[in-house]
Amino acid sequence: KISCSGPERFAEIYKHMMQRKKAGSFDGPDVGERAVMRMVWYQYCQNQRTVDKFQLLDLLKAIHQPPANEGADLDETFKEIDTKQDGVIDLDEFMQEITQ
């Protein structure tokens, strides 16, 4: 199945990565997967270097990985991904979370 939607393709990639992890055959995203993930990232960060909590929420919803709620769980998800603890999430932090 080929999808034209960046977020839909991202969701497919994420699902396949999780399947590879479960099977013990995940060595990280391939070049094509990384390209799609970067493209979707820049779409949601509006071509800036970082996203705030609400941009992250929009992105997570788009890739079918929303937090359980938009209150405490969103806050916890943001804190977990914001490993630099600078109040924003950059591409490296996001990719680390998605591919771990």
Side-chain angles (χ1 to χ4, degrees):
K1 176 181 167 185
I2 296 176
S3 174
C4 293
S5 166
E8 288 297 321
R9 181 68 183 121
F10 190 114
E12 291 172 16
I13 287 169
Y14 185 76
K15 179 181 172 183
H16 290 294
M17 287 190 316
M18 294 301 102
Q19 289 171 345
R20 293 194 320 259
K21 279 184 187 181
K22 189 174 182 179
S25 62
F26 183 70
D27 291 327
D30 65 29
V31 173
E33 291 169 337
R34 281 189 177 278
V36 170
M37 289 189 282
R38 273 202 263 342
M39 184 254 329
V40 172
W41 168 264
Y42 284 112
Q43 177 182 348
Y44 281 86
C45 75
Q46 301 169 347
N47 292 317
Q48 297 178 24
R49 295 183 187 269
T50 61
V51 294
D52 63 23
K53 181 170 61 173
F54 299 104
Q55 289 167 307
L56 177 66
L57 176 62
D58 289 342
L59 174 55
L60 293 174
K61 285 180 177 179
I63 64 171
H64 308 292
Q65 297 297 317
N69 61 63
E70 296 180 16
D73 194 50
L74 174 59
D75 290 342
E76 191 60 35
T77 300
F78 189 87
K79 287 177 190 174
E80 180 180 315
I81 299 172
D82 182 20
T83 58
K84 296 176 185 168
Q85 300 178 341
D86 57 1
V88 292
I89 296 171
D90 64 27
L91 179 59
D92 292 336
E93 289 170 310
F94 183 72
M95 293 291 278
Q96 178 65 35
E97 178 65 23
I98 290 296
T99 61
Q100 70 178 348

